[in-house]
Amino acid sequence: MEQLVYGLIIAAIGAITYVAYQHPDAYKHRIFPVLAVAGIAIYVSICVWDAALSTVGMALDRAFALGLSVKIDKVLDEKHVPFISFFLIWAASWVYLSLLLKLDVLLGKNGPK
């Protein structure tokens, strides 16, 4: 299943790059705004998820005896998103999508002919 997801991600990156190269105006005015909103929504969702797990963990720590706390921490750690890895992937995606906005300038042309 993971390999299918990785393959779909690679295909999506290729498709976005192709559209940005072949149709820079469509990418700039239609696709990039959608990707920007989706990226911000994903970032906020992960931050809310992380905050919710922390809040639940603190509430459960107070509610249960110390013996159960170790099991609760183990379960919460399994559900926790590694924030540094997520942030680095998110930031690299933003840099890549922003560079695609300037693809015609970087290549020294005004798009394909």
Side-chain angles (χ1 to χ4, degrees), residues 49-67:
W49 175 260
D50 193 47
L53 282 179
S54 298
T55 303
V56 167
M58 288 187 290
L60 290 175
D61 276 346
R62 282 185 249 129
F64 292 110
L66 186 61

Side-chain angles (χ1 to χ4, degrees), residues 21-91:
Y21 179 73
Q22 293 292 329
H23 309 286
D25 289 333
Y27 175 76
K28 190 178 292 185
H29 298 295
R30 292 191 180 141
I31 295 175
F32 184 76
V34 171
L35 293 174
V37 169
I40 291 169
I42 290 170
Y43 184 80
V44 169
S45 299
I46 295 295
C47 290
V48 168
W49 175 260
D50 193 47
L53 282 179
S54 298
T55 303
V56 167
M58 288 187 290
L60 290 175
D61 276 346
R62 282 185 249 129
F64 292 110
L66 186 61
L68 238 115
S69 180
V70 174
K71 292 179 184 176
I72 292 169
D73 287 342
K74 183 179 175 188
V75 170
L76 291 176
D77 284 343
E78 290 174 0
K79 304 296 181 193
H80 193 298
V81 176
F83 193 74
I84 297 297
S85 300
F86 168 73
F87 181 76
L88 290 176
I89 291 169
W90 184 80

Side-chain angles (χ1 to χ4, degrees), residues 89-111:
I89 291 169
W90 184 80
S93 300
W94 271 104
V95 168
Y96 180 71
L97 293 173
S98 298
L99 284 174
L100 287 179
L101 282 173
K102 302 295 181 188
L103 189 61
D104 53 346
V105 175
L106 292 172
L107 294 176
K109 50 183 157 180
N110 292 330

